[in-house]
């Protein structure tokens, strides 16, 4: 196997030990391994189980085995092994890395410009797949191809991607979809659970109200652009911010885009806010110690007697985290 000439570094680094790398399609799992291999001094063997050609399973004399798209058709060899899977699986005695798309800090590091506003414009336009740095002019085709490769019910998947950040119960979604397709309740819930388990979509509950409608987000916010002509910058912007937060305990409230209970911190996502809009939103907020108002580029001062408020453009907020 010949390694690509250009491989960009991610925050996550591999080391020479049994490692399981999971994540949805096109987030860069294989390239993470390539990044390790470009400096690896030993002998390795790479096998892609999505390739139907006959496989050489002789691992003698090999220091490292890489099993891409591993499907358990063969036993794991008694060698140091990297296993790559699109499914969120567990393998005993393997360190696990759950990889997502590029976060904004990685995107900025990959980009060639030093103008952070231009970089964020590209981030909004392209999404978070690493390969789109070399495929920028084919973004829609690449997203459509990736969508078709995702092994899930396309109508269910398209609904979630088209309605990023909107509030629904799963039962409401089921009722909408069963009018458009033949769909049982059991199959809908099973499919949705697979999407959640494999981190294709994410759900955000209302704080202290788990039966209320949920917000749903995608692992790449750019999918919305190929699913609907309804360009809602607020929901796309919310998806971007959620992906930066999703390693934390995150909820929403009626008065807040997101709420982080461990920090008693609220987040208001207001892409084009001015002081008047922000003050009106803050009147309804209670039970927090701080509110971050995140905009695309606006920055201004706000005074508030009840809690601390900071208005920050996304890029500044992200690098302050």
């Amino acid at each position: 196997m010949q390694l690509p000439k250009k491989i960009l570094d991610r925050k996550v680094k591999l080391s020479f030990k049994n490692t399981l790398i999971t994540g949805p399609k096109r987030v860069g799992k294989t390239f993470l391994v390539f990044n390790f291999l470009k400096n690896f001094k030993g002998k390795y063997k790479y096998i892609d189980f999505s390739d139907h050609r006959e496989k050489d399973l002789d691992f003698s004399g090999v220091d490292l085995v890489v099993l891409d798209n591993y499907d358990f058709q063969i036993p794991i060899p008694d060698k140091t092994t990297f296993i790559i899977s699109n499914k969120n699986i567990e393998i005993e005695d393997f360190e696990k890395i759950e990889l997502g798309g590029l976060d904004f800090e990685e995107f900025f590091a990959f980009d060639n410009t030093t103008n952070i506003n231009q970089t964020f414009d590209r981030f909004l336009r392209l999404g978070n797949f690493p390969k789109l740095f070399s495929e920028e002019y084919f973004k829609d085709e690449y997203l459509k191809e990736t969508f078709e490769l995702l092994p899930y019910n396309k109508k269910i998947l398209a609904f979630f991607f088209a309605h990023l950040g909107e509030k629904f119960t799963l039962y409401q979604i089921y009722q909408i979809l069963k009018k458009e397709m033949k769909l049982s309740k059991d199959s809908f819930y099973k499919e949705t659970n697979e999407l959640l388990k494999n981190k294709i979509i994410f759900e955000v509950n209302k704080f202290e109200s788990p039966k209320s409608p949920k917000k749903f987000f995608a692992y790449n916010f750019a999918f919305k652009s190929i699913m609907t002509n309804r360009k809602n910058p607020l929901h796309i912007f919310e998806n971007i911010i959620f992906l930066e937060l999703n390693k934390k305990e995150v909820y929403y409230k009626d008065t807040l885009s997101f709420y982080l209970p461990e920090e008693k911190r609220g987040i208001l996502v207001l892409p084009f806010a001015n002081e008047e809009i922000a003050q009106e939103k803050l009147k309804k907020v209670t039970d927090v110690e701080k509110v971050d108002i995140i905009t695309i580029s606006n920055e201004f001062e706000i005074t508030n007697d009840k809690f601390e408020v900071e208005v920050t453009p996304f890029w500044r907020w992200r690098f302050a985290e």
Side-chain angles (χ1 to χ4, degrees), residues 143-236:
L143 287 168
K144 289 173 185 175
E145 178 186 325
T146 305
F147 177 78
E148 291 303 324
L149 288 172
L150 291 169
Y152 305 100
N153 182 291
K154 294 300 184 284
K155 282 191 174 291
I156 294 175
L157 193 55
F159 182 93
F160 283 113
F161 285 171
H163 294 87
L164 303 182
E166 298 178 39
K167 297 172 188 173
F168 293 96
T169 65
L170 288 179
Y171 184 71
Q172 286 172 331
I173 298 173
Y174 165 67
Q175 289 293 325
I176 293 168
L177 288 174
K178 77 171 188 177
K179 296 175 183 176
E180 303 174 5
M181 59 186 289
K182 187 176 180 180
L183 183 65
S184 72
K185 192 174 179 181
D186 285 347
S187 63
F188 169 72
Y189 278 88
K190 182 179 178 181
E191 187 78 358
T192 301
N193 286 335
E194 281 295 302
L195 292 171
L196 291 166
K197 175 187 172 185
N198 293 319
K199 302 193 176 182
I200 306 297
I201 63 169
F202 304 86
E203 62 181 7
V204 178
N205 286 305
K206 186 177 181 181
F207 184 62
E208 294 183 336
S209 185
K211 293 185 179 180
S212 293
K214 307 170 188 295
K215 289 184 178 182
F216 292 92
F217 297 105
Y219 80 101
N220 187 340
F221 50 88
F223 278 120
K224 183 177 175 70
S225 67
I226 63 166
M227 295 297 149
T228 176
N229 291 319
R230 296 180 294 109
K231 309 300 184 190
N232 188 314
L234 171 61
H235 291 148
I236 293 173

Side-chain angles (χ1 to χ4, degrees), residues 39-50:
N39 297 313
F40 184 61
K41 303 303 182 186
K43 293 183 179 180
Y44 65 85
K45 178 169 284 189
Y46 172 89
I47 298 175
D48 184 355
F49 284 82
S50 68

